[in-house]
Amino acid sequence: MEPILPMEPLRSDTIPEGPEWIAQVKWDGVRILTYYDGRNVRLYNRKLYERTSHYPEVTNIHSYCKAESIILDGEVIALGEDGKPSFHQVMRRDGIRRLEKVAYMQQQVPVTYMIFDILFHNGVWLHQQPFRERMNRLAESIQPCEQLQLVTSHANGHSLYEAVKRQGLEGIVAKRVDSPYVIGEKKGVWLKIKNYRDLIAVIGGFTIRNGVINAVLLGLYDHLGKLWYIGHTGPGKMTQTEWKEVSEVLRLSAVDQSPFSNRPGRRTAAHWVKPMIAVKVKYIDWTEDHSLRQPSIQALVDIPPDECRFEEEWSKM
C-alpha cells in the first residue's frame, strides 16, 4: 500500500449546527495513518514520514483489528503530568532517532492511538462513502483496548466545545455526516474550532544573557517564500537538556545576515541563524503588527523549515 496525504479540516471560528453535523474532540497529538495489507503493517504521519518502528503499540494490529486489510486514520497521543494530552510528551516518542530506544521510551511515555476514520477495508476503498457509513464500518472492525480507542462523536458541538474548554483541551472538529474523505485536501465539510491557538514556526535567531541562549526569534514564510519575524520566546515546555541541545545547534548554525524580511524588535541584541529548526508554538493571539502574543514553545517538530508558513489570513502581508 502506498501512503496517502490525509484529509485536513479548515479552521473556523464558529461551530456549525444541525443534524448534518457531528463533533469530535481534537486531540493534541501526532497524526498517524495505519496501513495493513494482510501481511505487513506500516505507519506514516501526515508528511508521509514512516513511523512504523516508533509505535509498536499500534503495529500489533491483530490485538485490536478484525479486518483482512485496512487503512486507519487517527492521532497518537501521550498524557502529561496533569493527565491531559501533551504534545511535548508525544514528540518524545515521535522524535526518537535511535530506534533501539523505542522499548525504553514505551515505558517512559505510554501512548494511545485515537482512531477517527477508516479509508480502506478488506480490499475495498471507503473514502467516497459518507462519514456516517465509515464510522459504522470502523466500529465493526476495531476492538478498543487500553492503548487504542475510537474517537466518539457528539451531536451537540457547542456542548462538546464547552466541555473541551473546561478541560483545557485543544478544541473540536466538526464533520458533516454525509461527507466523503477527500484525500490530500482541506475541505469545509471538516472544520476545526480551537480552544487555543498554535502554529509551527522556524527559528531564525537567538539572544544571549549571561553567556546562555535565553530566547529564540521565530519566523514564518509567506506565499512568496519570504521569512517574517513573528516574535520571540524562551524554552517553554522544553527540558533543560532539550534547550541545551537546541542551543548548541543554533550556535553552530550562526550566520552574519538576518534571515527575516522585516526588522525584529530584538535586532540589536540578536544573533542570526540559518532557519533549520521547527517548533510548535502555542500563543494567545496576533498583535496588530503581526507578532504573536505570549508565544510558548511546546516541542520540536520534524518538518522542513520552508513548510512553516502563515495561515491564509496572513499569507499576503
Side-chain angles (χ1 to χ4, degrees):
M1 292 180 176
E2 293 296 325
I4 61 172
L5 290 170
M7 182 177 175
E8 301 279 2
L10 290 177
R11 180 170 294 188
S12 176
D13 293 325
T14 59
I15 302 172
E17 301 179 6
E20 67 273 21
W21 291 93
I22 60 89
Q24 298 178 331
V25 172
K26 188 178 191 306
W27 299 99
D28 195 7
V30 176
R31 186 81 171 269
I32 292 292
L33 272 69
T34 299
Y35 302 80
Y36 173 55
D37 63 4
R39 299 180 304 275
N40 301 307
V41 180
R42 293 288 184 268
L43 310 180
Y44 290 86
N45 66 14
R46 59 158 45 96
K47 298 297 182 181
L48 305 186
Y49 297 154
E50 188 167 1
R51 290 294 185 265
T52 304
S53 298
H54 290 64
Y55 304 111
E57 302 94 333
V58 180
T59 57
N60 185 20
I61 199 161
H62 296 297
S63 67
Y64 62 84
C65 180
K66 305 174 184 178
E68 297 176 2
S69 60
I70 202 165
I71 299 177
L72 301 168
D73 193 355
E75 200 96 355
V76 170
I77 67 170
L79 302 182
E81 294 181 357
D82 57 1
K84 300 175 184 178
S86 167
F87 189 76
H88 178 263
Q89 285 296 99
V90 77
M91 288 307 294
R92 292 180 63 196
R93 288 286 299 272
D94 199 73
I96 293 174
R97 293 293 175 267
R98 296 170 55 189
L99 296 180
E100 64 269 20
K101 296 179 62 177
V102 169
Y104 170 77
M105 291 304 295
Q106 273 188 271
Q107 303 300 318
Q108 298 298 308
V109 186
V111 297
T112 303
Y113 190 33
M114 306 298 296
I115 303 175
F116 52 73
D117 219 321
I118 179 172
L119 312 182
F120 185 86
H121 180 266
N122 290 350
V124 178
W125 281 97
L126 308 178
H127 62 293
Q128 294 184 341
Q129 294 186 10
F131 176 75
R132 67 164 74 87
E133 294 183 16
R134 300 198 308 274
M135 291 304 94
N136 291 335
R137 184 66 63 88
L138 183 60
E140 295 170 356
S141 306
I142 300 300
Q143 178 62 50
C145 57
E146 180 181 357
Q147 294 177 314
L148 183 140
Q149 297 291 323
L150 297 178
V151 176
T152 57
S153 299
H154 303 262
N156 191 321
H158 289 277
S159 296
L160 181 62
Y161 185 73
E162 290 304 314
V164 161
K165 286 179 63 178
R166 288 194 298 270
Q167 294 296 319
L169 302 180
E170 184 181 9
I172 66 172
V173 178
K175 300 176 179 179
R176 284 190 63 100
V177 296
D178 59 354
S179 62
Y181 187 106
V182 187
I183 295 172
E185 295 190 28
K186 288 186 177 183
K187 290 291 183 180
V189 292
W190 284 13
L191 299 173
K192 60 182 176 181
I193 302 95
K194 289 204 169 188
N195 177 36
Y196 55 79
R197 301 185 179 190
D198 55 41
L199 52 75
I200 307 298
V202 65
I203 297 174
F206 60 88
T207 57
I208 294 177
R209 177 183 297 168
N210 298 326
V212 177
I213 293 179
N214 69 316
V216 293
L217 280 62
L218 305 172
L220 290 176
Y221 288 95
D222 66 11
H223 65 297
L224 298 176
K226 295 181 179 179
L227 183 65
W228 296 83
Y229 169 77
I230 58 169
H232 62 272
T233 183
K237 288 191 174 182
M238 297 175 67
T239 65
Q240 289 185 350
T241 299
E242 291 169 335
W243 185 251
K244 181 179 179 181
E245 291 174 350
V246 168
S247 297
E248 291 174 354
V249 174
L250 292 176
R251 290 179 185 273
L252 292 174
S253 59
V255 294
D256 294 332
Q257 299 295 322
S258 170
F260 300 110
S261 295
N262 55 340
R263 185 185 180 95
R266 291 193 161 197
R267 184 177 187 279
T268 56
H271 300 261
W272 312 119
V273 299
K274 180 180 179 181
M276 297 171 54
I277 300 176
V279 291
K280 183 174 182 178
V281 179
K282 182 177 176 180
Y283 64 101
I284 300 299
D285 206 347
W286 289 93
T287 66
E288 292 183 358
D289 62 351
H290 303 306
S291 293
L292 301 180
R293 181 173 288 118
Q294 299 182 28
S296 174
I297 293 176
Q298 303 300 294
L300 298 175
V301 182
D302 184 18
I303 70 168
D306 60 1
E307 293 185 11
C308 300
R309 301 172 183 170
F310 284 100
E311 293 282 346
E312 185 63 27
E313 62 266 28
W314 297 116
S315 64
K316 299 178 181 179
M317 297 175 60

